[in-house]
């Protein structure tokens, strides 16, 4: 599609935003605990405190750029079209309207130097690149198809600065992983390489997200299903057990249950090309989210959507992963919890889990080689509009991607079915206090990245 620059972005300047006191309170969405004088004082500050970005994932996809004030409050600055369609209201996995449509994580990312922002477009499996100005504003540079032909599934990104390579994960294979090269001006070039996370026994596996090891030597992919869910019980709940194999015995479709192959590791070459994959035991079902600690490049935390907890793992110089025992959350509300997203504090002291089925977050304390529950739940449940039920049957607002500020003071969380992006102040005991919220597009909003 070549180079494109958006001419229809909607923007709000700080001066425009400060014109009326009433507009301030509404757009910032501060929680009732914050008084109007406090809001006015915070917004009167002139320094540029930070930026947060989220894709709407609507049919006409756009990136929403939020300004983030020193007190954690956010307000919308602009919406910039991506040049490609989002997946819209229909889930490509479940074929029904629901939050978190493409069951993935990390669909919006920034380069480490904050020069470029990348996003997926799940509606046509394309990727968009943006230039990021010193004030955080976006300008669309390029849009390119990823090469995967099954629409609705481009959902997770990782970027290797040394080779200028974007890795894109898709729901549907066999080409689950496609590569795109990025030049020094943010222009994109689709590459022919394609890679699968399927096995001979389970060719239709569903990956969720990918992360690059800090040394850029390995690309790690999380998975959730060995086979896409296609059948439901009479009450509408998903059937997670299916006949499989020559004997027709029931087998749970959650990955790594019991086959010890839920994590897929690819060695990364100097030009970004991937080597022969290897499969590793995640230690529990559905290793949905994988994140490296910031200060220990060989240590990673794994969030298990069906295992209902976190585990700590380590990767050696050969790419082999060893995982410690699972530390579960409270599942008395029903199983699975669909613990699908996670954020780790910059000092590696805390891990916050997003429990899709429960409509709230839980927190873990990280102490050396030990994981322990800190607050479960870490915040009150955020109700949705009552139209969505999780796999466990509970009514949920479908929280998905989250992001922690570089100073570790605030966490932002998407609640798709509640049409809210909520900001929390992180407390010394691992609990979360809501301080701000803004209205976001219903059900579909995806991805959070900031600086």
């Amino acid at each position: 599609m070549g180079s494109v620059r958006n001419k229809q972005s909607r923007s709000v300047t700080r001066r425009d935003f400060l014109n009326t006191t009433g507009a301030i309170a509404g757009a910032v969405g501060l929680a009732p605990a914050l008084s109007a004088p406090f809001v006015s004082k915070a917004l009167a500050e002139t320094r540029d405190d930070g930026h947060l970005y989220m894709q709407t994932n609507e049919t006409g996809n756009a990136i929403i750029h939020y300004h983030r004030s020193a007190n954690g409050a956010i307000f919308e600055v602009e919406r910039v079209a991506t040049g490609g369609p989002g997946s819209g209201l229909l889930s490509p996995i479940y074929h029904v309207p629901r939050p978190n449509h493409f069951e993935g994580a990390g669909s919006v990312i920034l380069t480490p130097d904050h020069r470029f922002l990348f996003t997926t477009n799940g509606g046509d499996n394309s990727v968009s690149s943006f230039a990021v100005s010193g004030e955080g504003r976006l300008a669309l540079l390029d849009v390119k198809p990823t090469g995967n032909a099954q629409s609705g599934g481009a959902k997770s990104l990782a970027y290797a600065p040394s080779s200028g390579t974007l890795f894109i994960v898709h729901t549907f294979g066999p080409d689950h992983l496609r590569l795109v090269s990025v030049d020094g001006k943010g222009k994109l070039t689709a590459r022919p390489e394609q890679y699968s996370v399927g096995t001979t026994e389970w060719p239709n596996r569903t990956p969720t997200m990918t992360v690059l090891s800090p040394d850029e030597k390995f690309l790690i992919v999380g998975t959730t299903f060995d086979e896409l869910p296609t059948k439901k019980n009479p009450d509408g709940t998903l059937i997670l057990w299916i006949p499989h194999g020559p004997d027709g015995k029931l087998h749970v479709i959650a990955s790594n249950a019991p086959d010890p192959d839920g994590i897929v590791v690819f060695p990364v070459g100097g030009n970004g090309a991937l080597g022969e994959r290897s499969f590793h035991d995640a230690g529990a079902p559905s290793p949905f989210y994988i994140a490296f600690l910031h200060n220990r490049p060989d240590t990673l935390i794994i969030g298990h959507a069906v295992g209902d907890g976190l585990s700590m793992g380590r990767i050696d110089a050969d790419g082999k992963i060893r995982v410690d025992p699972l530390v579960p959350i409270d599942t008395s509300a029903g199983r699975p919890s669909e613990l699908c997203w996670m954020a780790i504090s910059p000092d590696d002291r805390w891990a916050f889990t997003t429990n899709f089925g429960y409509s709230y977050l839980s927190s873990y304390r990280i102490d050396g080689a030990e994981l322990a529950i800190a607050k479960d739940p870490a915040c009150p449940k955020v109700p949705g509009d009552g139209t969505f039920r999780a796999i466990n049957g509970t009514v949920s607002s479908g929280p998905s991607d989250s992001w922690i500020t570089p100073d570790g003071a605030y966490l932002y969380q998407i609640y798709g079915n509640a049409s809210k992006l909520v900001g929390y102040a992180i407390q010394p005991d691992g609990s979360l206090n809501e301080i701000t919220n803004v209205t976001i597009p219903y059900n579909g909003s995806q991805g959070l990245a900031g600086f």
Side-chain angles (χ1 to χ4, degrees):
M1 283 181 257
S3 178
V4 183
R5 182 173 294 271
N6 175 47
K7 296 181 180 180
Q8 297 179 340
S9 64
R10 297 195 291 110
S11 63
V12 178
T13 65
R14 177 179 289 269
R15 179 177 296 175
D16 293 335
F17 187 76
L18 292 172
N19 273 341
T20 66
T21 303
I24 292 172
V28 174
L30 285 170
L34 297 182
S35 64
F38 181 79
V39 175
S40 300
K41 180 179 178 181
L43 292 178
E45 297 176 3
T46 57
R47 81 169 198 260
D48 198 21
D49 300 307
H51 307 275
L52 184 61
Y53 305 93
M54 180 190 74
Q55 68 156 301
T56 66
N57 196 35
E58 297 169 307
T59 303
N61 199 12
I63 297 292
I64 305 180
H65 167 205
Y66 298 98
H67 173 87
R68 182 173 57 82
S69 298
N71 69 340
I74 57 175
F75 67 86
E76 184 174 329
V77 175
E78 58 181 345
R79 292 193 186 196
V80 185
T82 67
S87 61
L89 291 177
L90 189 67
S91 163
I93 294 179
Y94 300 96
H95 304 290
V96 294
R98 71 193 299 277
N100 183 237
H101 299 154
F102 45 62
E103 288 285 319
S107 64
V108 178
I109 63 172
L110 287 155
T111 54
D113 59 8
H114 307 151
R115 286 186 61 209
F116 302 118
L117 179 142
F118 307 110
T119 187
T120 62
N121 298 299
D124 66 357
N125 288 353
S126 62
V127 175
S128 302
S129 66
F130 295 83
V132 183
S133 75
E135 294 75 37
R137 290 185 174 270
L138 302 178
L140 182 62
L141 296 174
D142 204 358
V143 189
K144 286 293 191 304
T146 65
N148 182 301
Q150 298 201 48
S151 295
K155 60 186 180 182
S156 181
L157 298 171
Y159 177 69
S162 63
S163 63
T165 305
L166 263 179
F167 305 94
I168 306 103
V169 173
H170 302 77
T171 294
F172 307 109
D175 52 339
H176 296 107
L177 274 165
R178 300 299 299 245
L179 276 57
V180 169
S181 293
V182 184
D183 72 11
K185 296 182 179 180
K187 297 294 184 179
L188 307 174
T189 303
R191 293 170 51 161
E193 299 100 322
Q194 51 184 283
Y195 308 89
S196 172
V197 301
T199 65
T200 302
E201 188 175 9
W202 300 102
N204 300 315
R205 303 181 88 199
T206 306
T208 54
M209 58 86 67
T210 189
V211 63
L212 194 67
S213 62
D215 59 9
E216 296 188 33
K217 290 183 178 180
F218 300 101
L219 188 76
I220 299 97
V221 182
T223 62
T224 187
F225 293 128
D226 280 336
E227 186 73 38
L228 286 169
T230 57
K231 298 181 180 179
K232 293 184 179 180
N233 296 303
D235 64 357
T237 57
L238 285 174
I239 294 176
L240 299 180
W241 295 81
I242 61 172
H244 184 71
D247 55 7
K249 287 185 177 180
L250 290 179
H251 191 295
V252 66
I253 63 174
S255 60
N256 216 97
D259 304 328
D261 57 4
I263 296 177
V264 190
V265 177
F266 295 86
V268 182
N271 66 345
L274 303 180
E276 184 176 354
R277 64 190 179 171
S278 58
F279 296 91
H280 302 264
D281 187 358
S286 294
F288 190 104
Y289 199 104
I290 300 168
F292 280 88
L293 294 184
H294 303 284
N295 305 298
R296 282 188 275 164
D298 67 336
T299 303
L300 43 88
I301 307 295
I302 305 163
H304 301 270
V306 176
D308 307 311
L310 295 187
S311 57
M312 184 180 291
R314 291 156 199 84
I315 186 168
D316 67 17
D318 297 319
K320 295 179 181 179
I321 292 178
R322 177 174 55 85
V323 179
D324 295 337
L326 180 81
V327 181
I329 62 170
D330 178 8
T331 56
S332 58
R335 298 193 67 183
S337 65
E338 297 181 77
L339 186 157
C340 294
W341 292 268
M342 178 174 52
I344 297 176
S345 64
D347 60 6
D348 293 336
R349 291 183 56 206
W350 305 104
F352 296 90
T353 70
T354 301
N355 309 314
F356 182 76
Y358 293 167
S359 302
Y360 59 71
L361 292 92
S362 301
S363 64
Y364 284 73
R365 184 176 292 103
I366 303 172
D367 185 7
E370 300 294 326
L371 278 175
I373 294 288
K375 289 293 180 179
D376 183 22
C379 62
K381 184 174 183 176
V382 174
D385 66 0
T387 63
F388 173 67
R389 288 185 180 273
I391 291 177
N392 62 39
T394 61
V395 176
S396 174
S397 57
S400 56
D401 289 275
S402 62
W403 180 74
I404 286 183
T405 56
D407 60 4
Y410 303 104
L411 181 145
Y412 298 88
Q413 175 66 60
I414 293 173
Y415 292 90
N417 192 249
S419 299
K420 283 184 179 181
L421 174 59
V422 176
Y424 297 98
I426 299 174
Q427 303 304 300
D429 63 353
S431 60
L432 300 169
N433 288 350
E434 181 177 342
I435 57 159
T436 186
N437 70 77
V438 293
T439 300
I440 61 176
Y442 177 66
N443 268 356
S445 300
Q446 302 283 340
L448 286 176
F451 69 95

